[in-house]
Amino acid sequence: SIAILLYLVRKFKTPDHWYPSDLQKRARVDEYLSWQHVNIRGKGSKLFLTKVLLPLLTGQPLPPEKLEGVTEELNIVLKQFEEKFLQDKPFIAGSEISLADLVALVELMQPVGAGYDLFEERPKLAEWRGRVEEAVGKQLFQEAHEGILNAKNL
């Protein structure tokens, strides 16, 4: 949860870029962390549930029109994310990675794990993903997402 991440940042005095002491940068991180719950998390999780878990539980595929609606909801918030949060910056809070970037990419991996490559036709989003992966380490990133990326094989 966001609360535990903020607790860990404070307790272990992590490098400043994760949760910047600069008030404007911190405000950008806080703004994203408050926005993402019902937007990126909400719509990404809904697509994952609709495309992977519900068919697994019911034994029935979902009607294509239902899946299209859920996908469109996610596409709307992805556009907002690119326009309002990424803009033309390398990361959400500016030139360095922060908790906002980490939380955002983790949430976006759920739809990817459901087989929806949301980075494919979004070069800005794909480039940002590459920067986040590079910042945390590609191997660590892959290890952390191994389970979700294999969920569509259930």
Side-chain angles (χ1 to χ4, degrees):
S1 80
I2 301 306
I4 195 67
L5 287 174
L6 295 178
Y7 168 79
L8 292 170
V9 163
R10 293 172 182 129
K11 178 175 171 110
F12 294 106
K13 297 176 179 67
T14 60
D16 190 66
H17 64 87
W18 289 113
Y19 194 60
S21 56
D22 175 274
L23 289 180
Q24 283 190 312
K25 289 179 182 179
R26 182 175 286 193
R28 287 298 287 170
V29 172
D30 289 340
E31 178 184 30
Y32 175 77
L33 294 176
S34 294
W35 177 84
Q36 64 93 29
H37 293 285
V38 294
N39 291 287
I40 296 289
R41 179 180 291 169
K43 307 308 184 215
S45 296
K46 187 174 181 181
L47 187 128
F48 184 80
L49 290 169
T50 303
K51 195 167 180 186
V52 176
L53 291 182
L54 288 176
L56 184 64
L57 294 172
T58 64
Q60 302 289 323
L62 259 66
E65 62 275 2
K66 181 158 177 100
L67 191 56
E68 284 175 22
V70 172
T71 303
E72 183 54 34
E73 288 177 5
L74 177 59
N75 287 333
I76 290 168
V77 297
L78 290 174
K79 184 177 182 200
Q80 291 171 344
F81 176 68
E82 285 183 310
E83 292 174 356
K84 305 296 182 197
F85 291 98
L86 288 182
Q87 299 169 340
D88 292 323
K89 302 174 297 201
F91 298 101
I92 293 171
S95 61
E96 294 182 289
I97 190 171
S98 70
L99 280 179
D101 299 286
L102 192 60
V103 168
L105 189 51
V106 166
E107 295 296 345
L108 292 177
M109 295 310 290
Q110 277 193 53
V112 172
Y116 178 56
D117 188 355
L118 51 88
F119 300 103
E120 186 175 27
E121 294 181 15
R122 291 181 181 85
K124 181 189 284 192
L125 205 58
E127 290 168 9
W128 166 78
R129 175 189 176 172
R131 288 189 295 272
V132 174
E133 283 186 37
E134 192 68 37
V136 298
K138 288 186 181 282
Q139 183 176 349
L140 177 61
F141 183 85
Q142 288 302 316
E143 287 175 24
H145 293 92
E146 188 175 338
I148 197 74
L149 291 175
N150 291 319
K152 64 182 172 279
N153 298 328
L154 293 173

